Amino acid sequence: MESVPLWESANRLRLDPRGRLFVGGLFITAVILTRTRPALIAESLLLALGIFGFGRGKVRRSSLHLIWPMVSAVFAISFLAFGLEAATDLSIRLVNLFAASALFFQTLAPEELAGALRSLKVPDPLIFILMTALRYVPLLGRTLRNIYDAQTARGIDVRLRLTNTPRLLALLVPLLVQAFMLAENLAMAMESRGFSREAKGRPRLGPISSRDILFVALGIAAFIGFLFWERRGP
Amino acid sequence: MIHLKNAAYRYPSRQGTAPWALDHIDLNVHQGEYVVIFGPSGSGKSTLTFVLNGLVPHFFGGEFFGEALVCNHAVPETPPAVLSEQVAVVLQNTDAYLFCATVEAELLFGLERSPIPAHQYDQRIQEILAFLDIEHLRHRAPHELSGGEKHLAAVASALCLKPHIMILDEPFAHLDAPNRSRLRQALAAVNRAGTTVIVAEHLVDDFLLDVDRCLVMEKGRVRFDGTPRQTLPHLMEVGLVPQYPQPPGEQAPLGQESLLKVSEVSFYREGRPVLDRVSFTLRAGESVAVTGPNGSGKTTLVKILGGLLKPHEGCALWNGRDIHKIPPPMRVRHVGVSFQNPNDQFFKVQVEDEIWAGPKILGKKGLPADREWIEHICNLFGVRPLKEHSPYRLSEGEKKRVALASVLAMKPQVLVLDEPTAGQDGRFRRELAELLLCLSKDLGIAVVVVTHDKDFARAVCARRLLLDKGRLVEDRAMVPSAEEV
């Protein structure tokens, strides 16, 4: 069956991008404010349900694999510094934060996110920087994969092992150089396509409907309810 | 429409005076003309296109002399943003050119910055996409498109402002034959609609039949300006039409035992077969071309041969041992792979260190480098004079030679090359053909070339494997004729 991007499912429900942006922001704030382990685990279960439930919605579960090295490092350092309990809580919180962000970005098409931010009066250059980052991070990810293959194929062992740490330069240097080359080409393209001219006649978002207000109200209620439940204890 | 008189330009340089990138050239282009600017790497053709949309001198800086009028605007006084309303440029790197989230957003980007009223945007987008027959790409993300589709999307975003002049920098060089043909038709249609089309290119192909006029550049000068019929001798003189060595009609005696055995290999992506029960063997000194359309599984096969991917079914064996199970530094002593982009390899300050990077790692594992062999490879590939240069500051052809030499420094018995001629000019293609023939005939290295370049494949290889939709549909001797590769 053909997979459908998650934001298209959201569009079918006719939810305004501003509402989705707001509720997504609330969810991430809830993850940051969570203090107790049962609440962290409850969040993890909710997020897992969201990510696996939207399996056909093209949530890129594979991209979450990239977080494990960082989570392992945070666990190891906090275990040495603060002990097992703190390390466990910090690691779960970090995983939840990544998962919530991944889910959030999958519910908004980049252009919708730009439209929502523009209606919130965020300056255009900042929006462009965010959009460009969203556009080019996957490209740099692919470049890194190509570099890994090219180095391995010529005998430079860059597998993720402690003994190979000094050789990580063989990945980082080409990546950095190609990122700079891409940035220069991007600047040339922007200049040639008239980026410095002011954008006019930008299509506006429609009015916020009662459905959106209800959606946002439910989001706020869930946010307050969750924090209240967490502070009082399960 | 375009008038250059005694136009000269040099890029800014930290080390004294840079050479002329454009050396006092005169050029007049009239409305509705279709002009191709040919020239080898570094001849100044891209710089000339940058003058026409104001990137030179406004974006790059440097020194500009002479007269340059484009659509009645004096280029030195008119910034690219103003010129972009009448002059659309499609740059070589479409990944950088297409920076929005969808094809529709790419078109909107230009429209939002034009005087066109907002209520006409949708109609204009529909018109342009229908004109190029890419309506189905409207909501697709640019990074998901094929190379040809990216170029068509870039042409659409350039056309949406209905420019008087459309300029494309090397649009054909990185495309396979079907995509080249698609883009060729689109550009011919754009030109028929009255737009002046200017293409800077080093690949000589069928699109020449559509063109009104050809310029051949060399060392910043226009050395020929005339009709396509008169162009061929000039293209040969500047090395754009490669004069390949005699094809290997009679293969040198091959080793008796197979070096590499691929047996019933299948590989799946998202449940779909990318390779479907592919089998063949490779012997020492053999030279094999792997061909097939985009998406036929060629690059996946390259990665399996290099041990970078493990086949889901079947096996790729080196002397009876699974290639992917051999540790990377040891594996390269058997099979070395050189990918398309040499910049993926470079991480050292000097070319010499780059070439020695792999052998030094082997040395630490108790396998001393063969200094004589490495010296021989450096001489063969002409990288000795470059050994103290930074690999990033070399020309594209030199980079490719250094990248190949650094793979060969590990003394592999099989060399696999993925699209080695993509984006390279004719002179480099001829040199590379000679080098590969030398490797297979004189040094007994088996060479596998994955390529869309039929002439190059004929010049270098004695055997052809044709992949189609992941299946090996043909495995036979290369016939030196006009057959399609």
Side-chain angles (χ1 to χ4, degrees), chain A residues 7 10-11 13-25 104 107-120 204-209 212 215-216:
Chain A
W7 58 70
N11 277 340
L13 298 171
R14 291 186 195 150
L15 292 172
D16 188 276
R18 286 164 289 190
R20 279 182 269 157
L21 176 66
F22 183 77
V23 173
F104 166 65
T107 59
L108 271 176
E111 291 308 309
E112 288 180 325
L113 180 60
L117 291 173
R118 205 171 283 130
S119 69
L120 296 171
R204 301 271 164 214
L205 291 174
I208 290 178
S209 67
D212 298 312
F215 175 64
V216 170

Side-chain angles (χ1 to χ4, degrees), chain A residues 111 135-136 146-147 149 151 153-155 159 174 177-178 181 185 188 192-194 196-197 199-202, chain B residues 59 81 84 93 95-100 106 112-113 118 121 303 328 332 337 341 343-346 354 392:
Chain A
E111 291 308 309
R135 160 82 177 83
Y136 286 106
N146 291 343
I147 294 168
D149 283 346
Q151 299 295 20
R154 65 184 279 218
R159 287 173 295 177
V177 171
Q178 291 195 55
M181 286 158 79
N185 286 328
M188 267 167 68
S192 329
R193 294 180 62 187
S196 50
R197 287 204 309 266
K200 295 172 200 155
R202 199 182 290 280
Chain B
F59 180 81
S84 67
N93 183 348
D95 279 328
Y97 188 84
L98 300 171
F99 46 72
C100 297
E106 294 293 347
E112 285 170 354
R113 285 160 179 80
Y121 289 176
K303 290 187 179 180
V332 188
V337 183
N341 184 1
N343 290 327
D344 286 345
Q345 288 189 9
F346 300 147
E354 198 63 57
Y392 283 106

Side-chain angles (χ1 to χ4, degrees), chain B residues 259-276:
Chain B
L259 288 178
L260 204 146
K261 190 174 180 189
V262 174
S263 176
E264 294 285 306
V265 160
S266 295
F267 192 86
Y268 300 91
R269 201 163 282 136
E270 293 172 0
R272 273 175 266 179
V274 182
L275 285 178
D276 191 3

Side-chain angles (χ1 to χ4, degrees), chain A residues 44-99:
Chain A
S44 300
L45 291 173
L46 259 179
L47 284 164
L49 202 68
I51 288 175
F52 287 97
F54 286 117
R56 278 188 296 156
K58 219 178 177 182
V59 172
R60 297 201 173 97
R61 275 169 280 181
S62 57
S63 61
L64 287 173
H65 294 167
L66 297 173
I67 70 174
W68 298 122
M70 188 188 287
V71 172
S72 310
V74 167
F75 182 85
I77 294 166
S78 49
F79 175 70
L80 293 173
F82 309 112
L84 182 65
E85 289 220 348
T88 309
D89 286 352
L90 270 173
S91 305
I92 296 175
R93 190 193 302 275
L94 194 60
V95 171
N96 286 356
L97 204 57
F98 278 122

Side-chain angles (χ1 to χ4, degrees), chain A residues 21-37:
Chain A
L21 176 66
F22 183 77
V23 173
L26 275 184
F27 199 103
I28 291 173
T29 312
V31 172
I32 293 168
L33 294 180
T34 305
R35 290 177 186 166
T36 61
R37 188 174 302 164

